[in-house]
Amino acid sequence: MKQIYLLLLGCGCSLSAFAQDDLANMFQDSIKKHEPVIATFKSTRIIQGNSIETLKKHELDFRVDHRFGDIGGEFGGGKTAFGLDNSSDIRIAFEYGVSDRLMLGLSRSKGSGGLTQLYEALAKYQLITQTTDDHIPITVTLFGNTVASGATSSTVKSDAAYFDKFSDRVSYTGQVIIGRKFNRSLSLALLPTLVHRNRVTYMDENDVFAIGGGGRLKFSNRMALLVEYFYPFRSQETKDYFKKQGRELYNPLSVGLEIETGGHVFHINFTNSTAILENQFIPETTTSWLQGQFRWGFNISRRFSL
């Protein structure tokens, strides 16, 4: 009888061990199945607009963005070396990963349009992350910034750059970025965006809602094609008024080539917008691809682990 008890006890221990192993394996498999998708985009920007990516914890990103002058049209051509003699906008930024989901940043831009000498504070938070097993099929990231102009106030009260009080200098952008990596080569993003400007010119709109879209098509280990487009929803009355004033509004369209070089991500891009920040290029693009009023530029991103 004693031997039977010992045999049953041994079998019970073995079954218990097997059960624990099975549970552990199931738990590990569950973790593996829900692994987050990485490198949907290689940079925190697509071209002009934001991607779903945020910086990793304690990662510092030093960014330089540059836009030259018109390649063609009245202000382009050979006399300006196809825009290389001119600069429509320049941005220098430091962005930092507070956690793997939250990043903060500061930047200074030349500005292009109604306001210049722009100081930006930004925040970006990855709300949910796509998983490799499609348990979560998309990544959703929230972006917001506050931009203030440091320029001297205009003396003309009807100008957008006339500042009666400090709040007249300030604008804001709020954005929801919804992205998905479909395979190793293709990633797409949708960017519902709201731009609010405290002060605008006569007949302009303080609030401009826009829908943006962007994509990345990787065609080699270190190179990818980028495309980006924004459609601002403006009243027809506003568009007609500005057109009569000789200031027709256009939708920002950009294409680019992404080159990854170790710690650098380098973008060569072409766009019809003269400004870099969403606060300006979404509501204030007044140049057209069809008239040669597009320019080439570059984005350089260099990351450091602190």
Side-chain angles (χ1 to χ4, degrees), residues 26-40:
M26 288 174 62
F27 181 70
Q28 290 297 327
D29 289 343
S30 176
I31 293 175
K32 288 179 182 178
K33 286 180 181 178
H34 297 338
E35 285 181 350
V37 169
I38 60 172
T40 303

Side-chain angles (χ1 to χ4, degrees), residues 62-75:
F62 173 63
R63 299 186 61 87
V64 178
D65 305 326
H66 194 292
R67 303 292 179 267
F68 291 97
D70 291 357
I71 287 179
E74 181 183 355
F75 302 105

Side-chain angles (χ1 to χ4, degrees), residues 46 55 67 80 133 172 178 192 199 215 260 266 271:
I46 303 174
L55 298 174
R67 303 292 179 267
T80 64
D133 63 342
Y172 309 90
I178 305 163
R199 180 175 176 79
E260 186 184 0
F266 182 66
T271 178

